[in-house]
PDB file of all heavy atoms in Angstrom:
ATOM      1  N   ALA T   8    -105.290  55.142  97.289  1.00 93.00           N
ATOM      2  CA  ALA T   8    -104.065  54.894  98.024  1.00 93.00           C
ATOM      3  C   ALA T   8    -104.370  53.613  98.870  1.00 93.00           C
ATOM      4  O   ALA T   8    -105.424  53.437  99.389  1.00 93.00           O
ATOM      5  CB  ALA T   8    -103.782  56.073  98.989  1.00 93.00           C
ATOM      6  N   ASN T   9    -103.295  52.798  98.930  1.00 91.00           N
ATOM      7  CA  ASN T   9    -103.414  51.516  99.718  1.00 91.00           C
ATOM      8  C   ASN T   9    -102.317  51.470 100.763  1.00 91.00           C
ATOM      9  O   ASN T   9    -101.251  52.115 100.643  1.00 91.00           O
ATOM     10  CB  ASN T   9    -103.263  50.319  98.738  1.00 91.00           C
ATOM     11  CG  ASN T   9    -104.452  50.151  97.931  1.00 91.00           C
ATOM     12  OD1 ASN T   9    -105.545  49.987  98.386  1.00 91.00           O
ATOM     13  ND2 ASN T   9    -104.274  50.218  96.598  1.00 91.00           N
ATOM     14  N   THR T  10    -102.512  50.632 101.820  1.00 90.00           N
ATOM     15  CA  THR T  10    -101.541  50.423 102.906  1.00 90.00           C
ATOM     16  C   THR T  10    -100.961  49.007 102.813  1.00 90.00           C
ATOM     17  O   THR T  10    -100.219  48.598 103.691  1.00 90.00           O
ATOM     18  CB  THR T  10    -102.172  50.672 104.258  1.00 90.00           C
ATOM     19  OG1 THR T  10    -103.298  49.844 104.398  1.00 90.00           O
ATOM     20  CG2 THR T  10    -102.598  52.118 104.389  1.00 90.00           C
ATOM     21  N   PHE T  11    -101.336  48.260 101.812  1.00 88.00           N
ATOM     22  CA  PHE T  11    -100.874  46.877 101.651  1.00 88.00           C
ATOM     23  C   PHE T  11     -99.377  46.823 101.713  1.00 88.00           C
ATOM     24  O   PHE T  11     -98.641  47.726 101.126  1.00 88.00           O
ATOM     25  CB  PHE T  11    -101.371  46.390 100.232  1.00 88.00           C
ATOM     26  CG  PHE T  11    -100.832  45.071  99.774  1.00 88.00           C
ATOM     27  CD1 PHE T  11    -101.224  43.921 100.399  1.00 88.00           C
ATOM     28  CD2 PHE T  11     -99.937  44.977  98.729  1.00 88.00           C
ATOM     29  CE1 PHE T  11    -100.751  42.740  99.923  1.00 88.00           C
ATOM     30  CE2 PHE T  11     -99.470  43.811  98.289  1.00 88.00           C
ATOM     31  CZ  PHE T  11     -99.854  42.637  98.895  1.00 88.00           C
ATOM     32  N   GLY T  12     -98.797  45.812 102.348  1.00 87.00           N
ATOM     33  CA  GLY T  12     -97.311  45.786 102.541  1.00 87.00           C
ATOM     34  C   GLY T  12     -96.659  44.594 101.880  1.00 87.00           C
ATOM     35  O   GLY T  12     -95.476  44.373 102.072  1.00 87.00           O
ATOM     36  N   GLY T  13     -97.398  43.797 101.107  1.00 88.00           N
ATOM     37  CA  GLY T  13     -96.849  42.644 100.518  1.00 88.00           C
ATOM     38  C   GLY T  13     -96.391  42.852  99.069  1.00 88.00           C
ATOM     39  O   GLY T  13     -96.347  44.002  98.583  1.00 88.00           O
ATOM     40  N   THR T  14     -96.086  41.806  98.364  1.00 90.00           N
ATOM     41  CA  THR T  14     -95.677  41.834  96.999  1.00 90.00           C
ATOM     42  C   THR T  14     -96.893  41.902  96.052  1.00 90.00           C
ATOM     43  O   THR T  14     -97.823  41.122  96.269  1.00 90.00           O
ATOM     44  CB  THR T  14     -94.814  40.587  96.648  1.00 90.00           C
ATOM     45  OG1 THR T  14     -93.647  40.563  97.497  1.00 90.00           O
ATOM     46  CG2 THR T  14     -94.356  40.592  95.189  1.00 90.00           C
ATOM     47  N   CYS T  15     -96.797  42.730  95.101  1.00 91.00           N
ATOM     48  CA  CYS T  15     -97.881  42.823  94.109  1.00 91.00           C
ATOM     49  C   CYS T  15     -97.319  42.101  92.854  1.00 91.00           C
ATOM     50  O   CYS T  15     -96.282  42.479  92.335  1.00 91.00           O
ATOM     51  CB  CYS T  15     -98.176  44.250  93.772  1.00 91.00           C
ATOM     52  SG  CYS T  15     -99.432  44.484  92.502  1.00 91.00           S
ATOM     53  N   GLU T  16     -98.096  41.090  92.370  1.00 92.00           N
ATOM     54  CA  GLU T  16     -97.681  40.372  91.189  1.00 92.00           C
ATOM     55  C   GLU T  16     -98.651  40.634  90.006  1.00 92.00           C
ATOM     56  O   GLU T  16     -99.883  40.498  90.203  1.00 92.00           O
ATOM     57  CB  GLU T  16     -97.634  38.895  91.454  1.00 92.00           C
ATOM     58  CG  GLU T  16     -96.571  38.537  92.435  1.00 92.00           C
ATOM     59  CD  GLU T  16     -96.466  37.052  92.620  1.00 92.00           C
ATOM     60  OE1 GLU T  16     -96.560  36.278  91.623  1.00 92.00           O
ATOM     61  OE2 GLU T  16     -96.205  36.588  93.764  1.00 92.00           O
ATOM     62  N   VAL T  17     -98.097  40.965  88.868  1.00 93.00           N
ATOM     63  CA  VAL T  17     -98.918  41.061  87.647  1.00 93.00           C
ATOM     64  C   VAL T  17     -98.579  39.900  86.796  1.00 93.00           C
ATOM     65  O   VAL T  17     -97.484  39.686  86.315  1.00 93.00           O
ATOM     66  CB  VAL T  17     -98.511  42.401  86.858  1.00 93.00           C
ATOM     67  CG1 VAL T  17     -99.512  42.568  85.657  1.00 93.00           C
ATOM     68  CG2 VAL T  17     -98.578  43.648  87.805  1.00 93.00           C
ATOM     69  N   LYS T  18     -99.595  39.016  86.636  1.00 92.00           N
ATOM     70  CA  LYS T  18     -99.396  37.694  86.013  1.00 92.00           C
ATOM     71  C   LYS T  18     -99.368  37.837  84.498  1.00 92.00           C
ATOM     72  O   LYS T  18     -99.826  38.802  83.897  1.00 92.00           O
ATOM     73  CB  LYS T  18    -100.449  36.758  86.382  1.00 92.00           C
ATOM     74  CG  LYS T  18    -100.521  36.501  87.922  1.00 92.00           C
ATOM     75  CD  LYS T  18     -99.457  35.564  88.405  1.00 92.00           C
ATOM     76  CE  LYS T  18     -99.618  35.224  89.869  1.00 92.00           C
ATOM     77  NZ  LYS T  18     -98.672  34.313  90.314  1.00 92.00           N
ATOM     78  N   THR T  19     -98.891  36.768  83.806  1.00 88.00           N
ATOM     79  CA  THR T  19     -98.787  36.748  82.366  1.00 88.00           C
ATOM     80  C   THR T  19    -100.224  37.023  81.741  1.00 88.00           C
ATOM     81  O   THR T  19    -101.205  36.463  82.187  1.00 88.00           O
ATOM     82  CB  THR T  19     -98.326  35.310  81.935  1.00 88.00           C
ATOM     83  OG1 THR T  19     -97.037  35.125  82.441  1.00 88.00           O
ATOM     84  CG2 THR T  19     -98.317  35.157  80.439  1.00 88.00           C
ATOM     85  N   GLY T  20    -100.237  37.906  80.821  1.00 87.00           N
ATOM     86  CA  GLY T  20    -101.482  38.291  80.117  1.00 87.00           C
ATOM     87  C   GLY T  20    -102.310  39.293  80.735  1.00 87.00           C
ATOM     88  O   GLY T  20    -103.249  39.849  80.184  1.00 87.00           O
TER      89      GLY T  20
END
Side-chain angles (χ1 to χ4, degrees):
N9 288 302
T10 57
F11 173 72
T14 299
C15 178
E16 293 186 38
V17 186
K18 301 284 187 178
T19 298

